[in-house]
């Protein structure tokens, strides 16, 4: 799961300042819809709940996404799209007898980039100019990486990086002999500048 860490404060009479960070992106499910922000490794003291805010690209501001009325809450699940960067902030609050909330300071912003979808409809065709690899364009992808191997379950070598998400075709000169296997995966450039990869396509054989 993706971790949210709540830092403990020193003032026991007020909500504490919260820290918020993702520790594992592996919780992103294969259908691209849910990601868990859980579990918390340390919960804020004397807190009745938390408010999660999400950054809105269209307004340039943060909008409250969810209020959790449980001081010991350990997670929240949000629907997310493939190949998209999200930014969140978090703050704790105490609820007074009259229902008003005393709110703590916001955490530092934390960003997460979800993986692109699995490359689909991957095919190989032989044409006059060589072997054409093609696949269905993956929404949100920044590019693709193509791999080959002489054994279906062997160790694959990357032979091409396509640095354009809208390009979904690549031609290889027909100079091979024997069986060659190919697979493709999409990638997006994450919030930290590193590539985030989707699942590999189905493996296709040439010859």
């Amino acid at each position: 799961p993706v971790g949210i860490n709540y830092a403990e404060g020193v003032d026991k009479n007020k909500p504490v300042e919260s820290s918020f960070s993702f520790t594992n992106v592996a919780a992103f499910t294969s259908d691209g819809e849910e990601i868990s922000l859980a579990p918390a490794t340390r919960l804020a003291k004397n807190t009745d709940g938390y408010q999660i805010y999400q950054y809105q690209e269209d307004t340039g501001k943060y909008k409250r996404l969810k209020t959790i009325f449980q001081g010991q809450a350990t997670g929240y699940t949000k629907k997310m799209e493939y190949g998209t960067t999200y930014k969140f902030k978090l703050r704790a609050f105490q609820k007074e007898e009259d229902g008003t909330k005393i709110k703590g300071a916001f955490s530092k912003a934390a960003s997460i980039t979800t993986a692109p979808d699995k490359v689909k409809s991957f095919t190989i065709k032989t044409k006059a100019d060589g072997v054409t690899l093609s696949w269905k364009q993956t929404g949100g992808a920044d590019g693709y990486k193509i791999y080959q191997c002489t054994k279906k379950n062997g160790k694959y070598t990357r032979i091409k990086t396509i640095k354009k998400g809208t390009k979904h075709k690549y031609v290889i000169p027909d100079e091979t002999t024997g069986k060659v296997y190919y697979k493709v995966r999409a990638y997006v450039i994450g919030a930290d500048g590193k590539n985030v990869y989707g699942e590999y396509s189905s493996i296709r054989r040439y010859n």
Side-chain angles (χ1 to χ4, degrees):
V2 175
I4 297 180
N5 298 321
Y6 304 95
E8 297 183 356
V10 296
D11 188 341
K12 296 183 178 181
N13 297 314
K14 295 181 179 180
V16 301
E17 182 175 353
S18 303
S19 67
F20 179 32
S21 62
F22 295 99
T23 56
N24 188 350
V25 188
F28 188 63
T29 60
S30 59
D31 61 9
E33 293 185 345
E34 295 186 353
I35 193 163
S36 295
L37 309 180
T41 56
R42 291 189 298 169
L43 301 177
K45 295 179 179 179
N46 300 305
T47 297
D48 294 318
Y50 300 91
Q51 293 179 326
I52 299 174
Y53 287 73
Q54 181 179 336
Y55 182 75
Q56 308 294 307
E57 292 287 348
D58 55 343
T59 63
K61 298 179 181 180
Y62 282 86
K63 181 180 180 180
R64 189 170 69 247
L65 170 69
K66 181 70 175 180
T67 299
I68 301 175
F69 291 95
Q70 185 180 358
Q72 298 300 304
T74 59
Y76 171 67
T77 298
K78 172 187 167 47
K79 290 184 178 180
M80 291 186 174
E81 299 293 332
Y82 282 117
T84 305
T85 296
Y86 295 85
K87 188 183 294 184
F88 301 96
K89 285 184 177 181
L90 179 78
R91 66 178 174 184
F93 67 84
Q94 284 181 327
K95 190 174 181 180
E96 299 291 275
E97 292 184 359
D98 62 1
T100 59
K101 297 184 185 72
I102 301 177
K103 301 170 184 177
F106 278 108
S107 67
K108 293 181 179 180
S111 297
I112 183 173
T113 301
T114 56
D117 197 0
K118 177 181 179 179
V119 170
K120 299 174 181 177
S121 302
F122 178 45
T123 61
I124 297 178
K125 293 183 179 180
T126 303
K127 296 185 178 181
D129 57 347
V131 180
T132 299
L133 311 181
S134 61
W135 54 91
K136 185 177 180 181
Q137 181 178 332
T138 302
D142 289 323
Y144 304 91
K145 295 196 177 185
I146 302 172
Y147 302 78
Q148 75 173 20
C149 186
T150 55
K151 296 182 180 180
K152 183 176 182 180
N153 296 318
K155 184 177 180 179
Y156 282 74
T157 301
R158 186 178 74 248
I159 61 169
K160 181 65 177 179
T161 296
I162 298 176
K163 298 180 179 181
K164 190 174 182 180
T166 56
K167 185 176 180 180
H168 48 100
K169 183 182 295 186
Y170 180 65
V171 178
I172 302 173
D174 187 6
E175 299 174 349
T176 59
T177 58
K179 296 178 182 179
V180 182
Y181 296 88
Y182 295 94
K183 60 184 180 180
V184 183
R185 63 176 175 172
Y187 72 88
V188 295
I189 300 174
D192 58 359
K194 298 180 180 179
N195 291 342
V196 181
Y197 295 96
E199 294 182 47
Y200 285 105
S201 68
S202 298
I203 296 173
R204 294 288 181 259
R205 188 187 77 188
Y206 170 67
N207 277 346

